[in-house]
Amino acid sequence: MELPGNAVPIKTNPYSDQHPGTSGLRKKTRIFMQPHYLENYIQSIFNVMREESKGGFEKRTLIIGGDGRFYNRTAIQVILRMAAANGFGRLLVGRDGYLSTPAMAAAIPRRSALGGLLLTASHNPGGIDADFGVKYNTGNGGPAPERLTGRFHTETTKLSQYFTLQTPDLDIGRIGTTVLGKTEVSVIDPLQDYVEVIQGIFDFEALRRLFRGGFRLLFDAMHGVSGPYAEEIFERTLGAAPGTVYRGEPLEDFGGHHPDPNQVQAADLIRRMGAADAPDLGAACDGDADRNMIVGRGFFVSPGDSLAIIAQHAGCIPRYRDGLAGVARSMPTSTALDRVARKMRVRLHETPTGWKFFGNLMDAGLCTLCGEESFGTGSDHVREKDGLWAVMCWLSILAHTGKRVEQVVKDHWRLFGRSYFQRRDFEALDSAGATHMIEILREKLPGLAGAGFADVRIEKADEFSYEDPVDGSVSRRQGIRVFLDDGSRIVCRFSGTGTSGVTLRLYLERYRAEGDLPLDTLVEPFARAASELMKVREFCGRDRADVVT
Ligand code: G16
């Protein structure tokens, strides 16, 4: 391996916990701040990618950016020096270190980069006592597949040195190009690639007309990185009123909140949208701008319904006018999308949780739209979920139909019936107890068919395995499913994005042809029956979920 003459090797010892989860390596910030911790992980990625990319890094571009959380700036300087020492030809870094996750996904293929390093823990809180994360995205713009993340981890277990330069910090606050060792470093406008991609999808003239007609949007950026993008697109380009975007300034600690767009963490938006003179559409994005929540006046849209409704109305968006190649959802996501896919005669794919699984389908031309229950929706315009894209879809649907949000959703239920869906999270569980609970449940699965469950019977129970139709790779143990004889479904799995203990997610879905039944009354008996079946109290000492969305 040839490195630039000024590269300094630094001796290091492996850490045993650098195992990437659902979406890169996420840990407490102080763990990342340990000596050589970040450096070890970055060098492991570089070692694997050097082998993968064969010809070395001299002619290669790497993009670096993040959601602006605490430790981003320090990490970016560390990575710039290490990338230069590892011989990259060109480095592109978002101004002030900012790049939203979808903007990174847009920039990588447009700039023919080898890949990108994203510094984010997404919707997790930020700060020295909160969370930090590093994610590597490949040349298609999407998260590295499990084949690669597994190799990153193996590499971390045997690492003995990393390479850096002894140079001062670079000024990344101004757009321009400079040289670091032999590497060209350009500070780029973090908005440009993304805004251009979005302009190629939607009918901007129709949306300008919508706002000229007095339409009101309220967008909560939750002090994450979506603020600057939202101000550019909604206020400056589409003509939405100043103040449409609130909490728009990215902050290192997101103002002390979890930047997670759901009814619990974005309760302020829900409250504002409940007012008598509330705007027509409310929306929020998470820290790195890939998740979204959609709210009408006094009306919450569940992520599974939002995905199904976007698919149903895709024809009103120029990019999707000629039809959909296919649609996809993660396994725990509600089956509302399945019903739309059947009606539209479009193939539906069911994947494990994690956006990386959609990327393969899209690269192979098998899927146009996809989404997850965890407030993520997206399309093949980039290989990440995209919060602002989802808001643009809803603006397009409202402009095209002339209906209110509530009306669009209720009309959807009338046509397709409704999946009453709820997710209950039991956070920071003791790992041994929770793992034992799942082991016992796993043993019970084959014998569950026919057993009673609340007021219905279990039809079958299994553990979800996925064989990727494109590369044949198999992902096992992706969640336990209990199918009930009234068409309902219970799913449970461990989160792959938590940073303390184990988070158990319990997904409850009940189908009814009518759309106006009370959600809680329908799902509560299922939640109780699921807790009894799993023995959550016995194994984990918990009666109640910490977060219900
Ligand atoms: C990540 C993944 C998503 C996944 C979510 C929750 O989102 O990209 O595909 O649905 O985590 O995963 P889990 O249930 O394993 O915690 P993000 O927005 O955190 O990057």
PDB file of all heavy atoms in Angstrom, residues 22-23 26 121-124 135 143 286 288 290-291 330 353-356 358 372-374 384-385 423 493-498 505 507, ligand 1:
ATOM      1  N   THR A  22     -28.166  -1.051  12.696  1.00  0.00           N
ATOM      2  CA  THR A  22     -29.077  -0.836  11.568  1.00  0.00           C
ATOM      3  C   THR A  22     -28.557   0.245  10.634  1.00  0.00           C
ATOM      4  O   THR A  22     -28.745   0.194   9.433  1.00  0.00           O
ATOM      5  CB  THR A  22     -30.470  -0.395  12.109  1.00  0.00           C
ATOM      6  OG1 THR A  22     -30.896  -1.331  13.098  1.00  0.00           O
ATOM      7  CG2 THR A  22     -31.498  -0.342  11.017  1.00  0.00           C
ATOM      8  N   SER A  23     -27.889   1.229  11.204  1.00  0.00           N
ATOM      9  CA  SER A  23     -27.511   2.381  10.387  1.00  0.00           C
ATOM     10  C   SER A  23     -26.152   2.937  10.836  1.00  0.00           C
ATOM     11  O   SER A  23     -26.077   4.020  11.389  1.00  0.00           O
ATOM     12  CB  SER A  23     -28.620   3.425  10.522  1.00  0.00           C
ATOM     13  OG  SER A  23     -28.590   4.322   9.474  1.00  0.00           O
ATOM     14  N   ARG A  26     -23.263   3.612  16.016  1.00  0.00           N
ATOM     15  CA  ARG A  26     -23.859   4.642  16.886  1.00  0.00           C
ATOM     16  C   ARG A  26     -23.512   4.337  18.320  1.00  0.00           C
ATOM     17  O   ARG A  26     -23.744   3.223  18.791  1.00  0.00           O
ATOM     18  CB  ARG A  26     -25.373   4.665  16.744  1.00  0.00           C
ATOM     19  CG  ARG A  26     -25.797   5.595  15.670  1.00  0.00           C
ATOM     20  CD  ARG A  26     -27.287   5.718  15.604  1.00  0.00           C
ATOM     21  NE  ARG A  26     -27.613   5.977  14.215  1.00  0.00           N
ATOM     22  CZ  ARG A  26     -28.816   5.975  13.720  1.00  0.00           C
ATOM     23  NH1 ARG A  26     -29.842   5.717  14.494  1.00  0.00           N
ATOM     24  NH2 ARG A  26     -29.025   6.224  12.463  1.00  0.00           N
ATOM     25  N   ALA A 121     -26.117  10.624  14.366  1.00  0.00           N
ATOM     26  CA  ALA A 121     -26.822   9.547  15.059  1.00  0.00           C
ATOM     27  C   ALA A 121     -28.310   9.765  14.813  1.00  0.00           C
ATOM     28  O   ALA A 121     -29.150   9.467  15.657  1.00  0.00           O
ATOM     29  CB  ALA A 121     -26.485   9.521  16.533  1.00  0.00           C
ATOM     30  N   SER A 122     -28.592  10.390  13.661  1.00  0.00           N
ATOM     31  CA  SER A 122     -29.958  10.516  13.158  1.00  0.00           C
ATOM     32  C   SER A 122     -30.909  11.215  14.128  1.00  0.00           C
ATOM     33  O   SER A 122     -30.707  12.363  14.488  1.00  0.00           O
ATOM     34  CB  SER A 122     -30.459   9.133  12.783  1.00  0.00           C
ATOM     35  OG  SER A 122     -31.680   9.219  12.139  1.00  0.00           O
ATOM     36  N   HIS A 123     -31.915  10.495  14.616  1.00  0.00           N
ATOM     37  CA  HIS A 123     -32.939  11.065  15.481  1.00  0.00           C
ATOM     38  C   HIS A 123     -32.533  10.985  16.953  1.00  0.00           C
ATOM     39  O   HIS A 123     -33.287  11.445  17.809  1.00  0.00           O
ATOM     40  CB  HIS A 123     -34.233  10.286  15.293  1.00  0.00           C
ATOM     41  CG  HIS A 123     -34.017   8.819  15.523  1.00  0.00           C
ATOM     42  ND1 HIS A 123     -33.317   8.050  14.632  1.00  0.00           N
ATOM     43  CD2 HIS A 123     -34.352   8.011  16.547  1.00  0.00           C
ATOM     44  CE1 HIS A 123     -33.245   6.812  15.099  1.00  0.00           C
ATOM     45  NE2 HIS A 123     -33.862   6.763  16.267  1.00  0.00           N
ATOM     46  N   ASN A 124     -31.382  10.394  17.248  1.00  0.00           N
ATOM     47  CA  ASN A 124     -30.951  10.302  18.650  1.00  0.00           C
ATOM     48  C   ASN A 124     -30.487  11.680  19.123  1.00  0.00           C
ATOM     49  O   ASN A 124     -30.002  12.474  18.330  1.00  0.00           O
ATOM     50  CB  ASN A 124     -29.798   9.312  18.799  1.00  0.00           C
ATOM     51  CG  ASN A 124     -30.199   7.871  18.491  1.00  0.00           C
ATOM     52  OD1 ASN A 124     -31.227   7.652  17.875  1.00  0.00           O
ATOM     53  ND2 ASN A 124     -29.408   6.921  18.900  1.00  0.00           N
ATOM     54  N   LYS A 135     -21.391   6.783   9.650  1.00  0.00           N
ATOM     55  CA  LYS A 135     -21.985   5.865   8.680  1.00  0.00           C
ATOM     56  C   LYS A 135     -21.236   6.009   7.364  1.00  0.00           C
ATOM     57  O   LYS A 135     -20.933   7.134   6.944  1.00  0.00           O
ATOM     58  CB  LYS A 135     -23.438   6.310   8.509  1.00  0.00           C
ATOM     59  CG  LYS A 135     -24.290   5.334   7.785  1.00  0.00           C
ATOM     60  CD  LYS A 135     -25.738   5.721   7.979  1.00  0.00           C
ATOM     61  CE  LYS A 135     -26.369   5.984   6.649  1.00  0.00           C
ATOM     62  NZ  LYS A 135     -27.741   6.402   6.732  1.00  0.00           N
ATOM     63  N   PRO A 143     -26.469   3.588   2.181  1.00  0.00           N
ATOM     64  CA  PRO A 143     -25.668   2.998   3.250  1.00  0.00           C
ATOM     65  C   PRO A 143     -24.951   1.731   2.803  1.00  0.00           C
ATOM     66  O   PRO A 143     -25.497   0.969   1.988  1.00  0.00           O
ATOM     67  CB  PRO A 143     -26.700   2.658   4.334  1.00  0.00           C
ATOM     68  CG  PRO A 143     -28.024   3.097   3.836  1.00  0.00           C
ATOM     69  CD  PRO A 143     -27.899   3.664   2.482  1.00  0.00           C
ATOM     70  N   ASP A 286     -36.136  14.761  11.177  1.00  0.00           N
ATOM     71  CA  ASP A 286     -35.233  14.437  12.295  1.00  0.00           C
ATOM     72  C   ASP A 286     -33.877  15.116  12.119  1.00  0.00           C
ATOM     73  O   ASP A 286     -33.692  15.920  11.199  1.00  0.00           O
ATOM     74  CB  ASP A 286     -35.085  12.920  12.438  1.00  0.00           C
ATOM     75  CG  ASP A 286     -34.320  12.294  11.291  1.00  0.00           C
ATOM     76  OD1 ASP A 286     -34.292  12.906  10.210  1.00  0.00           O
ATOM     77  OD2 ASP A 286     -33.752  11.206  11.471  1.00  0.00           O
ATOM     78  N   ASP A 288     -30.915  14.382  10.974  1.00  0.00           N
ATOM     79  CA  ASP A 288     -30.184  14.344   9.700  1.00  0.00           C
ATOM     80  C   ASP A 288     -31.115  14.441   8.495  1.00  0.00           C
ATOM     81  O   ASP A 288     -30.691  14.203   7.360  1.00  0.00           O
ATOM     82  CB  ASP A 288     -29.317  13.082   9.615  1.00  0.00           C
ATOM     83  CG  ASP A 288     -30.130  11.798   9.663  1.00  0.00           C
ATOM     84  OD1 ASP A 288     -31.226  11.805  10.259  1.00  0.00           O
ATOM     85  OD2 ASP A 288     -29.676  10.782   9.110  1.00  0.00           O
ATOM     86  N   ASP A 290     -33.651  12.731   7.293  1.00  0.00           N
ATOM     87  CA  ASP A 290     -34.164  11.649   6.448  1.00  0.00           C
ATOM     88  C   ASP A 290     -35.536  11.149   6.909  1.00  0.00           C
ATOM     89  O   ASP A 290     -36.263  10.549   6.142  1.00  0.00           O
ATOM     90  CB  ASP A 290     -33.156  10.495   6.294  1.00  0.00           C
ATOM     91  CG  ASP A 290     -32.722   9.884   7.609  1.00  0.00           C
ATOM     92  OD1 ASP A 290     -33.147  10.386   8.672  1.00  0.00           O
ATOM     93  OD2 ASP A 290     -31.946   8.905   7.578  1.00  0.00           O
ATOM     94  N   ARG A 291     -35.893  11.394   8.167  1.00  0.00           N
ATOM     95  CA  ARG A 291     -37.234  10.985   8.620  1.00  0.00           C
ATOM     96  C   ARG A 291     -38.227  12.123   8.471  1.00  0.00           C
ATOM     97  O   ARG A 291     -37.833  13.287   8.458  1.00  0.00           O
ATOM     98  CB  ARG A 291     -37.198  10.595  10.099  1.00  0.00           C
ATOM     99  CG  ARG A 291     -36.332   9.398  10.384  1.00  0.00           C
ATOM    100  CD  ARG A 291     -36.435   9.012  11.837  1.00  0.00           C
ATOM    101  NE  ARG A 291     -35.683   7.792  12.052  1.00  0.00           N
ATOM    102  CZ  ARG A 291     -35.915   6.918  13.018  1.00  0.00           C
ATOM    103  NH1 ARG A 291     -36.879   7.157  13.886  1.00  0.00           N
ATOM    104  NH2 ARG A 291     -35.201   5.844  13.146  1.00  0.00           N
ATOM    105  N   SER A 330     -40.462  -2.098   4.895  1.00  0.00           N
ATOM    106  CA  SER A 330     -39.793  -3.003   5.822  1.00  0.00           C
ATOM    107  C   SER A 330     -40.852  -3.899   6.457  1.00  0.00           C
ATOM    108  O   SER A 330     -42.034  -3.527   6.539  1.00  0.00           O
ATOM    109  CB  SER A 330     -39.025  -2.220   6.891  1.00  0.00           C
ATOM    110  OG  SER A 330     -39.930  -1.527   7.709  1.00  0.00           O
ATOM    111  N   THR A 353     -35.765  -4.425   8.405  1.00  0.00           N
ATOM    112  CA  THR A 353     -35.595  -3.022   8.791  1.00  0.00           C
ATOM    113  C   THR A 353     -34.196  -2.553   8.411  1.00  0.00           C
ATOM    114  O   THR A 353     -33.229  -3.274   8.616  1.00  0.00           O
ATOM    115  CB  THR A 353     -35.788  -2.900  10.310  1.00  0.00           C
ATOM    116  OG1 THR A 353     -37.136  -3.236  10.607  1.00  0.00           O
ATOM    117  CG2 THR A 353     -35.492  -1.492  10.799  1.00  0.00           C
ATOM    118  N   GLY A 354     -34.098  -1.353   7.887  1.00  0.00           N
ATOM    119  CA  GLY A 354     -32.791  -0.807   7.486  1.00  0.00           C
ATOM    120  C   GLY A 354     -32.854  -0.389   6.029  1.00  0.00           C
ATOM    121  O   GLY A 354     -33.215  -1.192   5.169  1.00  0.00           O
ATOM    122  N   TRP A 355     -32.540   0.868   5.782  1.00  0.00           N
ATOM    123  CA  TRP A 355     -32.722   1.403   4.430  1.00  0.00           C
ATOM    124  C   TRP A 355     -31.843   0.709   3.414  1.00  0.00           C
ATOM    125  O   TRP A 355     -32.144   0.645   2.222  1.00  0.00           O
ATOM    126  CB  TRP A 355     -32.459   2.913   4.434  1.00  0.00           C
ATOM    127  CG  TRP A 355     -33.190   3.575   3.317  1.00  0.00           C
ATOM    128  CD1 TRP A 355     -32.688   3.926   2.108  1.00  0.00           C
ATOM    129  CD2 TRP A 355     -34.582   3.924   3.299  1.00  0.00           C
ATOM    130  NE1 TRP A 355     -33.685   4.465   1.328  1.00  0.00           N
ATOM    131  CE2 TRP A 355     -34.843   4.476   2.042  1.00  0.00           C
ATOM    132  CE3 TRP A 355     -35.622   3.811   4.218  1.00  0.00           C
ATOM    133  CZ2 TRP A 355     -36.108   4.938   1.675  1.00  0.00           C
ATOM    134  CZ3 TRP A 355     -36.887   4.272   3.860  1.00  0.00           C
ATOM    135  CH2 TRP A 355     -37.123   4.819   2.602  1.00  0.00           C
ATOM    136  N   LYS A 356     -30.711   0.135   3.884  1.00  0.00           N
ATOM    137  CA  LYS A 356     -29.766  -0.462   2.938  1.00  0.00           C
ATOM    138  C   LYS A 356     -30.416  -1.547   2.075  1.00  0.00           C
ATOM    139  O   LYS A 356     -29.997  -1.771   0.950  1.00  0.00           O
ATOM    140  CB  LYS A 356     -28.558  -1.010   3.682  1.00  0.00           C
ATOM    141  CG  LYS A 356     -28.898  -1.943   4.815  1.00  0.00           C
ATOM    142  CD  LYS A 356     -27.667  -2.224   5.673  1.00  0.00           C
ATOM    143  CE  LYS A 356     -28.067  -3.000   6.912  1.00  0.00           C
ATOM    144  NZ  LYS A 356     -27.610  -2.413   8.141  1.00  0.00           N
ATOM    145  N   PHE A 358     -33.347  -1.519   0.680  1.00  0.00           N
ATOM    146  CA  PHE A 358     -34.077  -0.945  -0.458  1.00  0.00           C
ATOM    147  C   PHE A 358     -33.125  -0.612  -1.615  1.00  0.00           C
ATOM    148  O   PHE A 358     -33.507  -0.637  -2.776  1.00  0.00           O
ATOM    149  CB  PHE A 358     -34.821   0.334  -0.052  1.00  0.00           C
ATOM    150  CG  PHE A 358     -35.902   0.122   0.986  1.00  0.00           C
ATOM    151  CD1 PHE A 358     -36.009   0.972   2.082  1.00  0.00           C
ATOM    152  CD2 PHE A 358     -36.814  -0.907   0.854  1.00  0.00           C
ATOM    153  CE1 PHE A 358     -37.002   0.793   3.030  1.00  0.00           C
ATOM    154  CE2 PHE A 358     -37.822  -1.099   1.796  1.00  0.00           C
ATOM    155  CZ  PHE A 358     -37.916  -0.243   2.890  1.00  0.00           C
ATOM    156  N   GLU A 372     -40.855   2.980   5.689  1.00  0.00           N
ATOM    157  CA  GLU A 372     -40.798   2.223   6.929  1.00  0.00           C
ATOM    158  C   GLU A 372     -41.701   2.870   7.962  1.00  0.00           C
ATOM    159  O   GLU A 372     -41.961   4.078   7.909  1.00  0.00           O
ATOM    160  CB  GLU A 372     -39.382   2.243   7.482  1.00  0.00           C
ATOM    161  CG  GLU A 372     -38.361   1.645   6.562  1.00  0.00           C
ATOM    162  CD  GLU A 372     -36.993   1.654   7.218  1.00  0.00           C
ATOM    163  OE1 GLU A 372     -36.426   2.726   7.402  1.00  0.00           O
ATOM    164  OE2 GLU A 372     -36.533   0.580   7.566  1.00  0.00           O
ATOM    165  N   GLU A 373     -42.079   2.059   8.946  1.00  0.00           N
ATOM    166  CA  GLU A 373     -42.920   2.574  10.022  1.00  0.00           C
ATOM    167  C   GLU A 373     -42.208   3.633  10.847  1.00  0.00           C
ATOM    168  O   GLU A 373     -42.850   4.437  11.502  1.00  0.00           O
ATOM    169  CB  GLU A 373     -43.402   1.433  10.918  1.00  0.00           C
ATOM    170  CG  GLU A 373     -42.333   0.439  11.399  1.00  0.00           C
ATOM    171  CD  GLU A 373     -41.313   1.006  12.332  1.00  0.00           C
ATOM    172  OE1 GLU A 373     -41.698   1.823  13.182  1.00  0.00           O
ATOM    173  OE2 GLU A 373     -40.134   0.636  12.213  1.00  0.00           O
ATOM    174  N   SER A 374     -40.869   3.612  10.827  1.00  0.00           N
ATOM    175  CA  SER A 374     -40.095   4.518  11.675  1.00  0.00           C
ATOM    176  C   SER A 374     -39.982   5.913  11.048  1.00  0.00           C
ATOM    177  O   SER A 374     -38.940   6.542  11.106  1.00  0.00           O
ATOM    178  CB  SER A 374     -38.717   3.934  11.954  1.00  0.00           C
ATOM    179  OG  SER A 374     -38.085   3.604  10.738  1.00  0.00           O
ATOM    180  N   GLU A 384     -31.355   6.904   0.097  1.00  0.00           N
ATOM    181  CA  GLU A 384     -31.633   7.092   1.522  1.00  0.00           C
ATOM    182  C   GLU A 384     -33.079   7.524   1.637  1.00  0.00           C
ATOM    183  O   GLU A 384     -33.667   8.015   0.671  1.00  0.00           O
ATOM    184  CB  GLU A 384     -30.749   8.192   2.126  1.00  0.00           C
ATOM    185  CG  GLU A 384     -29.292   7.815   2.313  1.00  0.00           C
ATOM    186  CD  GLU A 384     -29.035   7.048   3.616  1.00  0.00           C
ATOM    187  OE1 GLU A 384     -29.994   6.669   4.306  1.00  0.00           O
ATOM    188  OE2 GLU A 384     -27.849   6.830   3.924  1.00  0.00           O
ATOM    189  N   LYS A 385     -33.654   7.400   2.814  1.00  0.00           N
ATOM    190  CA  LYS A 385     -34.975   7.988   2.978  1.00  0.00           C
ATOM    191  C   LYS A 385     -34.814   9.499   2.992  1.00  0.00           C
ATOM    192  O   LYS A 385     -33.725  10.007   3.235  1.00  0.00           O
ATOM    193  CB  LYS A 385     -35.663   7.473   4.226  1.00  0.00           C
ATOM    194  CG  LYS A 385     -34.893   7.607   5.518  1.00  0.00           C
ATOM    195  CD  LYS A 385     -35.677   6.885   6.605  1.00  0.00           C
ATOM    196  CE  LYS A 385     -34.951   6.897   7.931  1.00  0.00           C
ATOM    197  NZ  LYS A 385     -33.898   5.894   8.026  1.00  0.00           N
ATOM    198  N   ARG A 423     -46.719   1.376  17.484  1.00  0.00           N
ATOM    199  CA  ARG A 423     -45.446   0.776  17.893  1.00  0.00           C
ATOM    200  C   ARG A 423     -45.195   1.125  19.346  1.00  0.00           C
ATOM    201  O   ARG A 423     -45.365   2.270  19.747  1.00  0.00           O
ATOM    202  CB  ARG A 423     -44.307   1.326  17.036  1.00  0.00           C
ATOM    203  CG  ARG A 423     -42.999   0.616  17.324  1.00  0.00           C
ATOM    204  CD  ARG A 423     -41.902   1.098  16.401  1.00  0.00           C
ATOM    205  NE  ARG A 423     -41.037   2.034  17.082  1.00  0.00           N
ATOM    206  CZ  ARG A 423     -40.016   2.653  16.512  1.00  0.00           C
ATOM    207  NH1 ARG A 423     -39.750   2.444  15.233  1.00  0.00           N
ATOM    208  NH2 ARG A 423     -39.257   3.480  17.194  1.00  0.00           N
ATOM    209  N   ARG A 493     -39.067  -7.094  17.584  1.00  0.00           N
ATOM    210  CA  ARG A 493     -37.641  -7.193  17.253  1.00  0.00           C
ATOM    211  C   ARG A 493     -36.867  -6.230  18.142  1.00  0.00           C
ATOM    212  O   ARG A 493     -37.460  -5.350  18.781  1.00  0.00           O
ATOM    213  CB  ARG A 493     -37.376  -6.896  15.774  1.00  0.00           C
ATOM    214  CG  ARG A 493     -37.882  -5.538  15.313  1.00  0.00           C
ATOM    215  CD  ARG A 493     -37.568  -5.276  13.846  1.00  0.00           C
ATOM    216  NE  ARG A 493     -36.186  -4.876  13.642  1.00  0.00           N
ATOM    217  CZ  ARG A 493     -35.706  -3.648  13.848  1.00  0.00           C
ATOM    218  NH1 ARG A 493     -36.512  -2.671  14.276  1.00  0.00           N
ATOM    219  NH2 ARG A 493     -34.458  -3.378  13.630  1.00  0.00           N
ATOM    220  N   PHE A 494     -35.560  -6.412  18.169  1.00  0.00           N
ATOM    221  CA  PHE A 494     -34.718  -5.467  18.892  1.00  0.00           C
ATOM    222  C   PHE A 494     -34.292  -4.354  17.941  1.00  0.00           C
ATOM    223  O   PHE A 494     -33.961  -4.622  16.784  1.00  0.00           O
ATOM    224  CB  PHE A 494     -33.450  -6.152  19.420  1.00  0.00           C
ATOM    225  CG  PHE A 494     -33.711  -7.113  20.555  1.00  0.00           C
ATOM    226  CD1 PHE A 494     -32.828  -8.167  20.785  1.00  0.00           C
ATOM    227  CD2 PHE A 494     -34.795  -6.959  21.394  1.00  0.00           C
ATOM    228  CE1 PHE A 494     -33.056  -9.059  21.823  1.00  0.00           C
ATOM    229  CE2 PHE A 494     -35.030  -7.842  22.431  1.00  0.00           C
ATOM    230  CZ  PHE A 494     -34.157  -8.904  22.645  1.00  0.00           C
ATOM    231  N   SER A 495     -34.265  -3.134  18.462  1.00  0.00           N
ATOM    232  CA  SER A 495     -33.765  -2.018  17.672  1.00  0.00           C
ATOM    233  C   SER A 495     -32.279  -2.197  17.408  1.00  0.00           C
ATOM    234  O   SER A 495     -31.551  -2.715  18.250  1.00  0.00           O
ATOM    235  CB  SER A 495     -33.985  -0.721  18.446  1.00  0.00           C
ATOM    236  OG  SER A 495     -33.107   0.282  17.971  1.00  0.00           O
ATOM    237  N   GLY A 496     -31.848  -1.747  16.236  1.00  0.00           N
ATOM    238  CA  GLY A 496     -30.413  -1.788  15.914  1.00  0.00           C
ATOM    239  C   GLY A 496     -29.806  -0.404  15.963  1.00  0.00           C
ATOM    240  O   GLY A 496     -28.716  -0.183  15.444  1.00  0.00           O
ATOM    241  N   THR A 497     -30.510   0.568  16.571  1.00  0.00           N
ATOM    242  CA  THR A 497     -29.980   1.931  16.585  1.00  0.00           C
ATOM    243  C   THR A 497     -29.842   2.516  17.992  1.00  0.00           C
ATOM    244  O   THR A 497     -29.400   3.653  18.126  1.00  0.00           O
ATOM    245  CB  THR A 497     -30.889   2.889  15.768  1.00  0.00           C
ATOM    246  OG1 THR A 497     -32.207   2.814  16.317  1.00  0.00           O
ATOM    247  CG2 THR A 497     -30.933   2.507  14.309  1.00  0.00           C
ATOM    248  N   GLY A 498     -30.228   1.766  19.008  1.00  0.00           N
ATOM    249  CA  GLY A 498     -30.147   2.292  20.372  1.00  0.00           C
ATOM    250  C   GLY A 498     -28.691   2.366  20.833  1.00  0.00           C
ATOM    251  O   GLY A 498     -27.811   1.734  20.247  1.00  0.00           O
ATOM    252  N   ARG A 505     -38.882  -3.456  20.358  1.00  0.00           N
ATOM    253  CA  ARG A 505     -39.973  -2.804  19.652  1.00  0.00           C
ATOM    254  C   ARG A 505     -41.088  -3.825  19.426  1.00  0.00           C
ATOM    255  O   ARG A 505     -40.846  -4.918  18.936  1.00  0.00           O
ATOM    256  CB  ARG A 505     -39.509  -2.288  18.289  1.00  0.00           C
ATOM    257  CG  ARG A 505     -38.341  -1.324  18.346  1.00  0.00           C
ATOM    258  CD  ARG A 505     -38.394  -0.379  17.144  1.00  0.00           C
ATOM    259  NE  ARG A 505     -37.162   0.361  16.922  1.00  0.00           N
ATOM    260  CZ  ARG A 505     -36.756   1.393  17.636  1.00  0.00           C
ATOM    261  NH1 ARG A 505     -37.452   1.804  18.678  1.00  0.00           N
ATOM    262  NH2 ARG A 505     -35.635   2.028  17.341  1.00  0.00           N
ATOM    263  N   TYR A 507     -44.683  -4.131  17.521  1.00  0.00           N
ATOM    264  CA  TYR A 507     -45.490  -3.492  16.480  1.00  0.00           C
ATOM    265  C   TYR A 507     -46.856  -4.183  16.441  1.00  0.00           C
ATOM    266  O   TYR A 507     -46.927  -5.406  16.314  1.00  0.00           O
ATOM    267  CB  TYR A 507     -44.839  -3.658  15.115  1.00  0.00           C
ATOM    268  CG  TYR A 507     -43.365  -3.282  15.037  1.00  0.00           C
ATOM    269  CD1 TYR A 507     -42.368  -4.177  15.419  1.00  0.00           C
ATOM    270  CD2 TYR A 507     -42.970  -2.040  14.550  1.00  0.00           C
ATOM    271  CE1 TYR A 507     -41.026  -3.846  15.318  1.00  0.00           C
ATOM    272  CE2 TYR A 507     -41.620  -1.699  14.440  1.00  0.00           C
ATOM    273  CZ  TYR A 507     -40.658  -2.615  14.828  1.00  0.00           C
ATOM    274  OH  TYR A 507     -39.333  -2.282  14.729  1.00  0.00           O
TER     275      TYR A 507
HETATM  276  C1  G16 B   1     -32.440   3.794  10.802  1.00  0.00           C
HETATM  277  C2  G16 B   1     -32.566   3.004   9.538  1.00  0.00           C
HETATM  278  C3  G16 B   1     -34.003   2.696   9.279  1.00  0.00           C
HETATM  279  C4  G16 B   1     -34.651   2.026  10.467  1.00  0.00           C
HETATM  280  C5  G16 B   1     -34.436   2.875  11.690  1.00  0.00           C
HETATM  281  C6  G16 B   1     -34.909   2.208  12.969  1.00  0.00           C
HETATM  282  O1  G16 B   1     -33.018   5.045  10.635  1.00  0.00           O
HETATM  283  O2  G16 B   1     -32.039   3.715   8.436  1.00  0.00           O
HETATM  284  O3  G16 B   1     -34.049   1.866   8.143  1.00  0.00           O
HETATM  285  O4  G16 B   1     -36.003   1.847  10.279  1.00  0.00           O
HETATM  286  O5  G16 B   1     -33.070   3.145  11.863  1.00  0.00           O
HETATM  287  O6  G16 B   1     -34.175   1.075  13.174  1.00  0.00           O
HETATM  288  P1  G16 B   1     -34.282   0.245  14.501  1.00  0.00           P
HETATM  289  O7  G16 B   1     -35.719  -0.161  14.612  1.00  0.00           O
HETATM  290  O8  G16 B   1     -33.342  -0.901  14.272  1.00  0.00           O
HETATM  291  O9  G16 B   1     -33.889   1.160  15.643  1.00  0.00           O
HETATM  292  P2  G16 B   1     -32.260   6.343  11.093  1.00  0.00           P
HETATM  293  O10 G16 B   1     -33.198   7.455  10.739  1.00  0.00           O
HETATM  294  O11 G16 B   1     -32.040   6.161  12.569  1.00  0.00           O
HETATM  295  O12 G16 B   1     -30.977   6.333  10.334  1.00  0.00           O
END
